[in-house]
Amino acid sequence: MRHLTQIAFAVGFGQEPGIPREQHFCEQCADTYFACTPGMNPRRDLICLSDSYRVKLYDLLEATHPEAFDDKDAETCQRASDQMRNFLREQLTKDKIELNEDAFDMLFRDFIGSHHFYSRADEPKRKKG
């Protein structure tokens, strides 16, 4: 049995603000519900990269694409994000790690959302300043 509790914090979400709405699903119905509900599928089974594998990837990314850590403006950030997405997909493929798109998106968010990434991105700025 799977349980989902949602709390709306504003009017207009089909329920009274602040009042929990609980739903209970069998395993099969939960899979169907979460897979078809925008924004819910990535929350089903959170997966992430191990710290050692993430560091290995950051080291390789920094050596081969140092510009991926550049965040000087929105356009540069978008280019770097696209580059990191391609890089991660290539590395996972080389390491024979097969994933569906939802799983890949979880790992990508983990890859670019880690504090380790931001500390590396900030490192050149500290050296300049």
Side-chain angles (χ1 to χ4, degrees):
M1 182 67 73
R2 302 282 187 213
H3 306 277
L4 172 66
T5 302
Q6 295 175 309
I7 301 174
F9 293 101
V11 177
F13 291 97
Q15 71 187 72
E16 182 94 19
I19 306 295
R21 179 176 140 208
E22 294 186 20
Q23 294 174 284
H24 306 279
F25 302 96
C26 69
E27 187 98 16
Q28 183 179 356
C29 291
D31 283 344
T32 301
Y33 177 81
F34 286 111
C36 296
T37 304
M40 294 298 279
N41 203 22
R43 296 182 189 152
R44 288 185 57 216
D45 297 310
L46 181 63
I47 60 173
C48 60
L49 301 165
S50 70
D51 287 341
S52 60
Y53 188 65
R54 187 184 306 109
V55 167
K56 172 188 154 190
L57 291 175
Y58 286 154
D59 288 346
L60 185 56
L61 179 64
E62 198 167 30
T64 57
H65 303 287
E67 67 280 6
F69 295 91
D70 189 357
D71 63 353
K72 67 180 174 189
D73 57 42
E75 186 178 319
T76 305
C77 285
Q78 183 59 53
R79 240 188 342 267
S81 177
D82 293 343
Q83 190 172 44
M84 288 185 290
R85 179 175 281 280
N86 294 335
F87 170 83
L88 180 61
R89 193 176 302 278
E90 288 169 10
Q91 293 308 309
L92 293 171
T93 300
K94 283 180 185 176
D95 290 337
K96 298 184 180 5
I97 300 171
E98 296 180 21
L99 303 165
N100 66 26
E101 279 306 304
D102 287 330
F104 177 79
D105 287 343
M106 286 181 226
L107 291 183
F108 181 65
R109 280 193 300 278
D110 177 61
F111 185 59
I112 65 170
S114 166
H115 71 279
H116 299 290
F117 172 79
Y118 291 101
S119 65
R120 285 182 186 235
D122 291 340
E123 197 168 301
K125 294 173 196 162
R126 284 194 298 271
K127 289 178 181 176
K128 287 181 185 176

